[in-house]
Amino acid sequence: MRLLAARLDNDGDVLLTGPAVRALAAAGTVDVLASPAGAGAARLLPGVADVLVFDPPWSGFSPAAVDPAAVEDLVARVRARGYDEAVLFTSFHQSPLPLALLLRLAGVPRISATSEDYPGSLLDVRHRREGTARADVGEAVAALDLAAAAGFALPAGDDGRLRVLTTAPVPEGLPDSYVVVHPGASVPARAPLPQQAAGIVEALVRAGRAVVVTGGPGERELTAAVAGSRAVDLGGRTDLPGLAAVLAAADAVVVGNTGPAHLAAAVGTPVVSLFAPVVPAQRWGPHGVPHVLLGDQGAPCRGTRARECPVPGHPCLAGVGAREVVAAVEALAPAVPGTVVEEVRESAPAGGTS
């Protein structure tokens, strides 16, 4: 059986779909259809035979313009592969129906998806999430629910946690034991303030921890400012497999609600989650690893799905102090006995130390 699993979102969303992809892979050969923003993560998922890339004009923060040639190319590629079935994975606020229509045009005979909108003849299996007892389960579990509705289950012995294939080496020169601080996010509202992240790094170093600061190519200025002279700055120096290797070797990861939080979970590293409640933590928090969730989950931004913080001062995360983060790291990954620890004192609720 040849199967197509689609997730047209960012890397973190694709990683959360990984267990469901493995459920499909237990029944046949699985290709993943991903956006350019998620294709890197799709290539790291176990059980994936090939990755098709398509930039959907109906999804993403800066969606592509409608390109008839690109749409026709996708339909032709899918038709040429002769898939027996497709399962379309989406977030709760997205519609799978534009893609379902294209896959119908490509001749896919059976299509399953979660849809609140009436699907007409576009879906063979219409899975419902909102308004059910399963409405607030995590995204990884929701994807598994859809896979089960389509007739696919994890094989015996698969615990349903996130996983990736990691083959990249850890960069040379890193400490033997370290904590990662990842200060950025593709959505600014979901990241700590830069000065707060710098305070967290300073507090961790004072507490006897070596710190590695990570970030993408467009975050070099941010990571340099956060790392200062106190931490190793890897901003822009790792691709996704390389970042996975760095996270896998870490004692713990301090990160906002962004893709590297899910990548850390996929390599089994504990997560201190600085979680802004613009989306629900019960759906998007770290899956399947020990973690501590920090941040005011009742803040005024709750449930807004805002990209930019709608409340002056970013109070949902700014109130998380550096001492609180250090304590969370210690709870998840206790320091080696005998480590020299300086006193950590708060100077401001934004996370600074003195």
Side-chain angles (χ1 to χ4, degrees):
M1 180 183 294
R2 191 156 198 186
L3 305 169
L4 180 66
R7 186 72 198 239
L8 297 174
D9 287 300
N10 293 331
D11 285 332
D13 307 290
V14 173
L15 292 170
L16 287 167
T17 310
V21 170
R22 298 199 304 270
L24 270 63
T29 300
V30 178
D31 293 343
V32 171
L33 175 63
S35 72
R43 294 186 181 101
L44 293 181
L45 295 181
V48 175
D50 198 6
V51 176
L52 287 72
V53 181
F54 174 68
D55 200 356
W58 61 82
S59 182
F61 299 122
S62 299
V66 175
D67 182 348
V71 171
E72 291 169 3
D73 176 67
L74 174 65
V75 170
R77 283 187 290 156
V78 171
R79 181 183 295 116
R81 295 188 178 221
Y83 293 108
D84 299 294
E85 230 176 293
V87 182
L88 315 186
F89 298 98
T90 55
S91 298
F92 68 96
H93 59 278
Q94 297 172 326
S95 172
L97 300 186
L99 180 58
L101 175 60
L102 297 186
L103 298 188
R104 282 291 192 225
L105 294 174
V108 178
R110 188 173 190 264
I111 302 174
S112 303
T114 299
S115 181
E116 295 307 304
D117 298 322
Y118 173 63
S121 61
L122 297 180
L123 298 180
D124 299 284
V125 176
R126 180 193 184 189
H127 175 254
R128 301 293 292 272
R129 179 176 178 183
E130 299 304 304
T132 72
R134 304 285 285 174
D136 284 329
V137 298
E139 291 297 299
V141 176
L144 281 169
D145 284 352
L146 170 56
F152 303 98
L154 287 169
D158 191 322
D159 60 10
R161 296 187 182 186
L162 307 189
R163 295 181 193 166
V164 290
L165 304 170
T166 54
T167 57
V170 177
E172 295 182 1
L174 296 189
D176 292 335
S177 176
Y178 58 87
V179 173
V180 166
V181 174
H182 188 93
S186 60
V187 178
R190 301 180 190 177
L193 298 169
Q195 63 268 30
Q196 179 184 18
I200 289 169
V201 168
E202 182 177 351
L204 286 167
V205 172
R206 286 189 175 192
R209 299 282 188 168
V211 178
V212 174
V213 179
T214 57
E219 296 174 325
R220 288 188 174 96
E221 185 175 345
L222 170 64
T223 61
V226 169
S229 61
R230 302 174 295 273
V232 177
D233 178 12
L234 289 184
R237 292 173 52 193
T238 59
D239 57 11
L240 199 63
L243 179 59
V246 171
L247 298 178
D251 298 328
V253 178
V254 180
V255 60
N257 176 25
T258 187
H262 305 304
L263 188 58
V267 296
T269 300
V271 176
V272 177
S273 176
L274 302 175
F275 199 98
V278 289
V279 295
Q282 64 267 32
R283 294 188 178 192
W284 295 99
H287 175 74
V289 292
H291 66 275
V292 175
L293 191 77
L294 300 177
D296 181 3
Q297 300 306 299
C301 64
R302 180 180 179 181
T304 61
R305 301 209 304 269
R307 281 182 48 76
E308 302 287 342
C309 182
V311 184
H314 204 21
C316 66
L317 293 185
V320 178
R323 180 181 298 175
E324 197 175 355
V325 176
V326 172
V329 169
E330 180 64 24
L332 293 171
V336 176
T339 300
V340 176
V341 179
E342 298 182 31
E343 181 185 359
V344 178
R345 293 174 289 146
E346 303 292 355
S347 61
T353 63
S354 62

